[in-house]
């Protein structure tokens, strides 16, 4: 069975994860995507995407001790696995290949997502 | 900290539920963190709004994730990819084994059609809202008695007027029972029904008339001659033309003017079924006669209890003010829908329950069929498992096959359902309330569809377990003819036993109902029902202005009929057995105080000479009525039951009976007869000469006893009546025999329906037994062959097969008999003359099943005894 390709959102989650490692958790990933991609994100979408990625072996989770602040709780952190890093490289590589040589008027300006 | 500066509680709860135990804690703590920051930056109102949005959107994501995950667990990942493949494979399988496929499709068709029809009936009759605005405020108001406060006796105009004073009632309407009249709209006169109805109908229904106007105050004055036309009559006679308003029609030869048309009420308002409405002023008969039905509408905000209390208080006041008539009367207020459809609820429940049982049996058959087919494919499943196929994929495929069959059956069944429903409504005796406007709402279709698919999935459970069996070894190594796993035998046997149990219950119900029908129909009537004909005739006031003229005409007709060859006796009267007519009068035996407690209410007939003879009522004491009795002192003949009631153990002849302002002498005692229904005991009855009785109605029955068959005598008698007066058409209503049979229609319907379904269940079960046993034999050919080779006699082999079949069926039979005895109690309300756990019926059914099973097992048993041991063993090796 051919492996299913990453969806757009899953790609964003992996990219945000990569930026935030080793302290990537749900809320932080959500904020990363909102800041960088400029689109509002529901935290549930991040969580379900992470679950799907974990089922495919592309991420794994670790748990911190309860944080040393009043009412602090433990955190669930996500990390890229080796196959996850590979998948990310592959996806971004494909994207770069597809974008190479785009006509000038279609190339994105820096920060244009917002 | 105030609640407003915390995240909304509902949002937290929603997330807790949606995210599940694992992630909820982390997610909530992260969101809370963000909430605090956002609240500090942009205020807590913004933060709460953001939190709520997050909760809702996230819940949607979590729910979707859960659903897709469940699907891929069930069907293997890549569900969409495989669905097309599975469907094509399923259709190939269907073509490869057409008989089993057709069997399963038929089962599903039967299931879907029957359940949709029954659901449609239940929905349309019991659940569908009434077509009136604010229908939940509509009520019936019944008169009851001290002993039976919740009976549904009618009321009278005076009581009704007083009730309308209750504060909780916004409007009330009363109507008299329908009367037969001759109606002439555009030409040929025809017999129709007219209902006299009070004012107030507009307020109760809350609907505008279909054309014209409602009755106005002046229409209720004595001189008015206006009518409203029934909706169906308007469509039939005037093609729904609004110009019908203002036209004149003839009622019993008298012209009346149409002022309006009754609106369409979808069978939800009984008077609307009449052809014509006449205005009934709410004065007239005193408080002594009871003949009006009353409906009302509660005020906004008034409750049923309030209405009950207020009307109850009014009744109590009336009881004090008019002890002569009202002392024993109570009133009760009933929700309108309940009163309208309540009477058929038991029957619909019976039908529904029966259909469910048949469905289960049919599903059992389908499961058996699929199991047998699955057995044949064990090898295929085993191979696929052995080479690494996932059991999830196997399950998906098997389920797809069955679902494909179910969908085909569902489509066919839903197509058949409207016809089934139509048939049910048409056959239901007396018509189902609201039955003329039944249809299929989307909810009904969806429920029937879901039930069918669920049944299909249930039937496939044993097959799935079979396909997913862990160890493919045995199936692989020994090939197809490898005997029967114990598990498969147990499953098959359990299915058959369950089917037998359910079929026994159904069959028992049918047998009991049919026996009850037989017991009823052979009940003594009290009169000789053979050779009796009845004619309904109405000498109108136009042609016979005085009562004396009308009676003279009737006497002439009876005399003329007596002259027809073959006629043994003829007479006329005001009431006919098994007709709807009903008139009770308040009487006391002479010398007893005239209080309501001492009163009796015999059914009161005004009859001519010859009426009692025509009915064949035996004269037990004294004499029948004679022609001379018309003039002179007032006399009557009474039924034996009335004589026993008034003067127990004494001679009734010569004693006197008193009414409110009259008295008469008893000259004869005649036998009791059943008047209205075979179920009820004979009523007490009073027969007076017609000229001496006080009924205003012009409608009479001419009863004729003939020597030959009633059907052949009919035309001659009609001709005789027309000779006397060609312009007054008597309408013939068939022989009494037909009317009695008609009165048994509910029992016949029930008995035939449940009996037929029971027979169907028996047939299905026997097919299941035969199929299962045949299958077992073919599975075990090798084992049988070996045993025969080792010296067992073929006869023994045959007996073994039969014994296995009988044991399996016997187990189901035992369960079924116990269940039937218990379920029989549910039928008690319908049964007459048979006990609910009748041992004779139970024994008969047990014997029938065992005999039938033995017969069904004979074929396979004989095949088993003819197994050639050498070939059986040899074929195994090959």
């Amino acid at each position: 069975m051919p492996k299913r390709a990453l969806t757009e959102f899953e790609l964003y989650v992996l990219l945000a994860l990569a930026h935030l490692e080793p302290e990537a958790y749900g809320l932080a990933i959500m904020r990363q995507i909102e800041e960088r991609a400029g689109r509002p994100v529901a935290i549930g979408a991040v969580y379900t995407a992470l679950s799907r990625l974990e089922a495919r072996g592309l991420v794994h989770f670790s748990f911190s001790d309860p944080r040393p602040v009043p009412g602090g709780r433990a955190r669930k952190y996500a990390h890229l696995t080796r196959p996850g890093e590979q998948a990310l490289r592959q996806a971004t590589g494909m994207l770069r290949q597809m974008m190479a040589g785009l006509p000038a008027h279609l190339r994105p300006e820096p920060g244009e997502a917002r | 900290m105030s609640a407003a500066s915390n995240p909304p509680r509902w949002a937290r709860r929603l997330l807790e539920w949606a995210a599940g135990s694992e992630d909820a804690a982390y997610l909530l703590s992260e969101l809370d963190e963000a909430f605090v920051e956002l609240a500090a930056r942009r205020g807590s109102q913004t933060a709460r709004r953001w939190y709520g949005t997050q909760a809702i959107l996230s819940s949607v994501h979590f729910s979707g994730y859960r659903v897709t995950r469940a699907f891929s667990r069930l069907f293997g990942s890549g569900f969409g990819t495989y669905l097309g493949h599975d469907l094509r494979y399923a259709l190939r399988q269907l073509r490869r084994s057409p008989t089993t496929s057709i069997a399963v499709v038929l089962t599903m068709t039967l299931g879907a059609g029957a359940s949709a029809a029954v659901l449609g009936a239940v929905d349309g009759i019991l659940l569908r809202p009434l077509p009136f605005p604010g229908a939940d405020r509509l009520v019936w108001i019944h008169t009851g008695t001290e002993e039976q406060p919740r009976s549904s006796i009618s009321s009278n105009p005076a009581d009704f007027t007083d009730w309308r004073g209750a504060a909780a009632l916004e409007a009330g309407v009363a109507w008299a029972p329908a009367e037969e009249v001759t109606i002439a709209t555009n030409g040929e006169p025809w017999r129709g029904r007219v209902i006299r109805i009070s004012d107030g109908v507009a307020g109760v229904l809350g609907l505008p008339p279909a054309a014209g106007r409602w009755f106005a105050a002046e229409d209720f004055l004595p001189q008015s001659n206006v009518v409203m036309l029934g909706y169906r009559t308007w469509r039939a006679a005037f093609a729904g033309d609004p110009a019908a308003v203002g036209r004149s029609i003839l009622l019993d030869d008298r012209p009346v003017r149409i002022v309006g048309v009754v609106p369409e009420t979808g069978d939800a308002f009984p008077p609307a079924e009449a052809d014509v409405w006449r205005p009934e002023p709410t004065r007239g008969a005193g408080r002594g006669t009871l003949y009006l039905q009353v409906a009302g509408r509660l005020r906004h905000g008034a409750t049923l209890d309030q209405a009950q209390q207020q009307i109850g208080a009014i009744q109590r006041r009336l009881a004090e003010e008019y002890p002569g008539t009202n002392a024993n009367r109570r009133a009760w207020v009933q929700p309108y829908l309940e009163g309208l459809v309540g009477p058929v609820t038991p029957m619909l429940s019976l039908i529904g329950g029966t259909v469910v049982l048949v469905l289960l049996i049919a599903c059992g058959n389908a499961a058996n069929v699929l199991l047998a087919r699955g057995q044949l494919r064990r090898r295929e499943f085993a191979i696929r498992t052995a080479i690494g196929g996932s059991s999830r994929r196997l399950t998906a495929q098997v389920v797809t096959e069955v679902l494909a069959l179910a969908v085909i059956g569902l489509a066919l069944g839903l197509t058949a359902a409207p016809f089934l429903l139509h048939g049910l409504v048409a056959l239901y005796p007396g018509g189902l309330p609201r039955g003329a406007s039944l249809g299929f709402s989307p909810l009904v279709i969806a429920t029937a569809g879901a039930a069918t698919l669920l049944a299909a999935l249930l039937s496939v459970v044993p097959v799935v377990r079979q396909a997913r069996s862990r160890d493919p070894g045995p199936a692989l190594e020994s090939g197809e003819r490898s005997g029967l796993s114990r598990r498969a035998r147990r499953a098959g046997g359990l299915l058959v036993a369950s089917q037998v149990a359910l079929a026994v219950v159904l069959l028992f119900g049918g047998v009991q109902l049919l026996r009850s029908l037989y017991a009823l129909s052979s009940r003594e009537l009290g009169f000789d029902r053979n050779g009796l004909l009845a004619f309904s005739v109405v000498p109108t006031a136009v042609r016979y202005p005085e009562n004396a003229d009308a009676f003279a005409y009737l006497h002439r007709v009876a005399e003329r009929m007596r002259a027809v060859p073959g006629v043994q006796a003829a007479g006329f009267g005001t009431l006919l057995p098994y007709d709807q007519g009903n008139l009770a009068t308040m009487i006391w035996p002479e010398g007893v105080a005239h209080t309501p407690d001492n009163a009796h209410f015999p059914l009161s007939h005004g009859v001519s000479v010859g009426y009692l003879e025509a009915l064949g009522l035996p004269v037990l004491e004294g004499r029948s009525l004679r022609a001379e009795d018309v003039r002179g002192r007032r006399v009557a003949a009474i039924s034996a039951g009335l004589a026993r009631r008034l003067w127990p153990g004494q001679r009734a002849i010569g004693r006197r009976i008193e009414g409110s302002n009259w008295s008469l002498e008893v000259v004869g005692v005649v036998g009791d007869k059943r008047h209205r229904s075979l179920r009820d005991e004979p009523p007490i009855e009073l027969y007076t000469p017609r000229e001496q009785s006080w009924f205003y109605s012009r409608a009479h029955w001419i009863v004729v006893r003939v020597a030959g068959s009633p059907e052949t005598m009919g035309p001659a008698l009609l001709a005789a009546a027309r000779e006397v007066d060609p312009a007054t058409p008597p309408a013939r209503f068939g022989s009494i025999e037909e009317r009695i049979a008609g009165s048994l229609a509910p029992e016949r319907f029930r008995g035939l329906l449940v009996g037929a379904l029971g027979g169907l269940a028996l047939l299905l079960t026997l097919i299941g037994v035969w199929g299962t046993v045949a299958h077992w034999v073919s599975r075990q050919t090798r084992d049988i062959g070996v045993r025969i080779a080792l010296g067992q006699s073929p006869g023994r082999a045959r007996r073994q097969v039969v014994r296995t079949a009988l044991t399996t069926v016997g187990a189901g039979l035992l369960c079924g008999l116990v269940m039937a005895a218990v379920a029989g109690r549910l039928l008690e309300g319908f049964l007459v003359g048979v006990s609910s756990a009748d041992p004779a019926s139970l024994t008969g059914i047990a014997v029938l099943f065992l005999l039938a099973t033995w017969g069904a097992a004979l074929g396979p048993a004989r095949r088993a005894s003819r197994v050639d041991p050498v070939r059986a063993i040899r074929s195994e090796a090959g």
Side-chain angles (χ1 to χ4, degrees):
Chain A
M1 194 177 13
K3 263 217 226 355
R4 182 173 65 77
L6 290 173
T7 66
E8 182 186 337
F9 189 72
E10 285 170 354
L11 180 58
Y12 292 167
V13 168
L14 286 179
L15 285 167
L17 222 175
H19 284 297
L20 291 168
E21 281 266 35
E23 304 233 337
Y25 61 98
L27 184 69
I29 296 175
M30 177 186 115
R31 282 185 171 150
Q32 267 287 306
I33 301 177
E34 278 182 332
E35 275 170 33
R36 285 176 176 265
R39 59 179 270 186
V41 174
I43 195 171
V46 173
Y47 266 79
T48 51
L50 286 174
S51 297
R52 280 197 295 271
L53 291 167
E54 192 221 17
R56 293 169 62 174
L58 303 180
V59 307
H60 75 273
F61 296 111
S62 69
F63 300 89
S64 73
D65 293 328
R67 296 185 302 119
V69 292
R73 301 223 194 99
R75 269 225 181 102
K76 184 178 179 185
Y77 292 105
H79 311 277
L80 283 171
T81 59
R82 199 59 66 84
E85 287 171 1
Q86 226 171 356
L88 189 55
R89 257 200 306 274
Q90 205 174 8
T92 49
M94 283 197 303
L95 204 50
R96 208 206 318 254
Q97 289 289 92
M98 290 303 300
M99 284 171 59
L102 266 182
H105 71 281
L106 287 174
R107 269 183 249 135
E109 301 296 318
E112 183 172 312
R114 325 185 126 273
Chain B
M1 241 207 296
S2 68
S5 51
N6 282 342
R9 246 206 309 245
W10 65 265
R12 293 184 65 87
R13 283 218 203 98
L14 179 61
L15 283 169
E16 269 166 23
W17 167 80
S21 48
E22 279 181 40
D23 284 334
Y26 305 107
L27 186 145
L28 283 173
S29 94
E30 291 168 18
L31 271 186
D32 290 346
E33 203 183 290
F35 175 85
V36 167
E37 285 174 27
L38 189 59
R41 243 185 319 128
R42 310 255 301 268
S44 48
Q45 210 168 358
T46 313
R48 281 172 68 88
R49 242 198 324 269
W50 171 86
Y51 200 100
T53 315
Q54 281 289 322
I56 294 174
L57 292 176
S58 300
S59 307
V60 170
H61 280 283
F62 280 118
S63 305
Y65 175 62
R66 283 236 235 5
V67 168
T68 36
R69 205 173 51 172
F71 258 107
S72 32
R73 260 206 220 129
L74 191 56
F75 291 104
S77 42
F79 172 56
T81 323
Y82 282 105
L83 186 57
H85 168 266
D86 282 345
L87 267 179
R88 280 193 296 274
Y89 192 83
L91 289 172
R92 267 208 305 278
Q93 282 300 108
L94 295 194
R95 277 199 295 273
R96 225 181 271 161
S97 40
T99 8
T100 49
S101 308
I102 290 176
V104 175
V105 167
L106 274 181
T107 303
M108 297 298 164
T109 306
L110 176 72
S115 56
V118 170
L119 279 174
V122 167
D123 177 56
I125 295 172
L126 301 180
L127 302 176
R128 188 168 47 129
L130 293 166
F132 311 118
D136 53 316
R137 287 188 286 132
L138 291 181
V139 294
W140 294 95
I141 308 178
H142 303 288
T143 302
T145 60
E146 181 77 53
E147 301 84 43
Q148 294 186 299
R150 294 215 141 198
S151 53
S152 315
I153 305 175
S154 317
S155 181
N156 60 72
D159 286 357
F160 166 65
T161 311
D162 288 318
W163 289 347
R164 285 210 279 194
L169 271 189
E170 182 180 289
V173 65
W175 61 91
E179 288 163 16
E180 297 264 340
V181 290
T182 308
I183 304 179
T185 43
N186 296 324
E188 269 300 305
W190 47 281
R191 301 283 291 173
R193 282 146 43 93
V194 73
I195 274 186
R196 297 196 325 281
I197 191 165
S198 75
D199 61 314
V201 87
V204 170
L205 293 185
L207 297 172
R213 61 172 178 81
W214 294 111
F215 290 137
E218 61 267 17
D219 297 326
F220 292 91
L221 295 174
Q223 300 314 313
S224 92
N225 64 343
V226 297
V227 296
M228 287 186 75
L229 214 54
Y231 187 81
R232 279 193 208 121
T233 314
W234 178 51
R235 305 289 307 222
F238 294 97
D241 183 5
V245 174
R247 303 249 304 250
S248 271
I249 61 173
L250 294 177
L251 278 191
D252 280 345
D253 299 325
R254 204 187 286 125
V256 289
R257 192 168 49 88
I258 301 172
V259 295
V261 177
V262 179
E264 168 85 88
T265 56
D267 286 351
F269 188 57
E273 291 159 35
D275 298 300
V276 169
W277 282 4
R278 302 202 66 165
E280 162 83 339
T282 51
R283 44 159 196 75
R287 294 186 194 261
T289 37
L290 299 169
Y291 65 100
L292 290 181
Q293 293 223 284
V294 177
R297 179 183 280 272
L298 300 177
R299 249 178 241 291
H300 271 294
T303 66
L304 200 72
D305 281 327
Q306 285 171 341
Q308 176 70 55
Q309 276 167 27
Q310 290 171 8
I311 295 181
I314 293 174
Q315 278 292 76
R316 279 193 295 281
R317 177 175 57 80
L318 291 175
E320 283 168 23
E321 283 181 26
Y322 306 97
T325 48
N326 288 48
N328 205 19
R329 285 191 201 151
R330 300 286 170 270
W332 70 288
V333 181
Q334 184 190 34
Y336 188 81
L337 186 58
E338 182 187 304
L340 189 67
V341 301
V344 298
T345 311
M347 176 63 141
L348 280 181
S349 314
L350 177 67
I351 297 176
T354 311
V355 165
V356 166
L357 281 182
V358 171
L359 272 182
L360 288 175
I361 294 173
C363 280
N365 254 18
N368 244 344
V369 159
L370 291 170
L371 250 189
R373 202 168 71 172
Q375 272 290 95
L376 294 171
R377 294 170 66 190
R378 249 176 104 195
R379 194 133 199 251
E380 173 200 334
F381 292 142
I383 292 174
R384 286 174 67 172
T385 312
I387 58 174
S390 83
S391 60
R392 263 189 247 149
R393 294 290 317 120
L394 270 182
T395 311
Q397 192 190 302
V398 168
V399 169
T400 310
E401 279 175 40
V402 174
L403 281 182
L405 289 171
V407 166
I408 297 174
L410 181 62
L412 290 174
L414 287 179
T415 317
F419 297 102
L420 287 176
L421 183 61
H422 188 75
L424 176 68
V425 171
L427 288 174
Y428 195 93
L432 281 167
R434 314 182 71 187
S437 42
L438 291 180
F440 289 96
S441 69
L443 181 64
V444 165
I445 297 177
T447 313
T452 311
L453 293 177
L454 184 64
L457 288 175
L458 277 177
S459 343
V460 95
V461 163
V463 189
V464 165
R465 292 179 58 184
Q466 180 192 59
R468 289 171 73 129
S469 68
R470 284 285 140 218
D471 181 10
L476 274 181
E477 60 190 54
S478 36
E480 289 237 342
R481 294 192 165 281
S482 63
L484 209 58
S485 74
R486 274 186 59 197
R487 203 190 213 185
R489 272 185 83 129
R490 234 199 337 254
L494 195 61
L495 273 174
V496 167
S498 327
Q499 279 183 288
V500 168
L502 292 174
V504 165
V505 173
L506 258 186
L507 206 53
F508 179 68
V511 165
Q512 290 295 81
L513 287 171
L514 286 172
R515 285 183 64 188
S516 174
L517 173 68
Y518 180 71
L520 267 182
S521 57
S522 18
R523 263 192 171 177
E524 260 303 310
L525 288 173
F527 62 92
D528 185 358
R529 68 175 96 187
N530 298 313
L532 266 188
L533 278 164
F535 299 86
S536 148
V537 93
V538 183
T540 67
V542 168
R543 295 186 63 77
Y544 302 96
E546 297 295 320
N547 282 348
D549 302 326
F551 299 147
Y553 159 74
L554 290 166
H555 278 295
R556 279 201 302 277
V557 172
E559 229 177 272
R560 186 66 196 78
M561 286 190 176
R562 275 181 222 123
V564 173
V567 170
Q568 294 171 336
F572 63 87
T574 48
L575 298 175
L576 184 73
Y578 296 91
D579 184 52
Q580 294 309 307
N582 185 15
L583 193 68
T585 322
M586 211 173 183
I587 63 158
W588 295 266
E590 183 186 30
V592 164
H594 286 206
T595 64
D597 285 336
N598 295 339
H600 302 268
F601 293 88
L603 198 57
S604 307
H605 306 249
V607 302
S608 75
V609 169
Y611 176 88
L612 297 172
E613 287 76 2
L615 279 185
L617 286 181
V619 176
L620 302 174
E621 275 181 52
R623 60 170 176 84
S624 178
L625 296 174
R626 290 200 281 253
E628 308 82 82
D629 292 325
V630 175
R631 305 166 285 277
R633 63 196 207 294
R634 299 182 72 146
V635 297
I638 62 176
S639 69
L642 183 57
R644 277 195 301 273
R645 189 86 69 87
L646 294 177
W647 302 290
Q650 298 163 32
R651 201 174 140 76
I653 304 299
R655 293 185 186 265
R656 300 193 67 82
I657 289 178
E658 293 171 348
S660 43
N661 55 1
W662 50 264
S663 82
L664 50 78
E665 179 187 334
V666 175
V667 295
V669 175
V670 296
D672 289 325
K673 69 177 203 315
R674 293 183 199 273
H675 181 78
R676 182 72 66 81
S677 98
L678 286 162
R679 284 178 170 269
D680 301 331
E681 288 307 301
I684 46 175
E685 298 187 271
L686 177 73
Y687 303 91
T688 54
R690 181 65 183 100
E691 287 80 349
Q692 289 179 1
S693 64
W694 47 91
F695 316 124
Y696 56 82
S697 169
R698 289 275 178 136
H700 291 80
W701 292 98
I702 303 183
V703 180
V704 184
R705 175 170 294 284
V706 298
S709 104
E711 286 69 41
T712 52
M713 298 289 295
L717 292 167
L718 275 172
R722 272 196 283 270
E723 261 178 52
V724 176
D725 180 0
T728 302
R732 186 181 161 226
F733 281 91
S735 60
I736 304 276
E737 190 65 59
E738 283 172 24
R739 314 212 84 200
I740 295 170
S743 83
L744 284 177
E747 280 79 7
R748 194 174 310 116
F749 180 72
R750 277 197 285 271
L752 287 179
L753 181 69
V754 180
L757 288 176
L760 179 66
L762 175 63
L763 187 64
L764 282 175
T765 308
L766 286 177
I767 293 177
V769 168
W770 170 80
T772 307
V773 174
H775 184 66
W776 284 346
V777 166
S778 71
R779 295 287 92 219
Q780 301 194 285
T781 312
R782 177 175 177 264
D783 296 344
I784 299 173
V786 167
R787 281 204 287 271
I788 294 181
L790 290 179
Q792 189 191 57
S793 74
R796 184 116 183 260
R798 185 173 61 234
R799 280 195 294 279
Q800 218 159 23
V801 171
V802 173
R803 208 187 5 248
T804 314
L806 285 176
T807 322
T808 313
V809 167
L813 198 54
L814 266 166
C815 288
L817 290 174
V818 170
M819 280 162 52
V822 168
R825 214 160 305 155
L826 294 170
L827 280 180
E828 246 165 18
F830 296 116
L831 296 180
V832 169
V834 285
S835 72
S836 63
D838 195 90
S841 304
L842 291 170
T843 317
I845 290 176
V847 169
L848 172 67
F849 260 92
L850 290 172
L851 278 177
T853 307
W854 177 76
L858 267 184
R862 210 171 297 150
R863 213 174 315 136
S865 67
R866 295 220 201 95
V867 165
D868 180 354
V870 174
R871 277 183 56 204
I873 301 176
R874 204 185 287 159
S875 80
E876 184 42 48

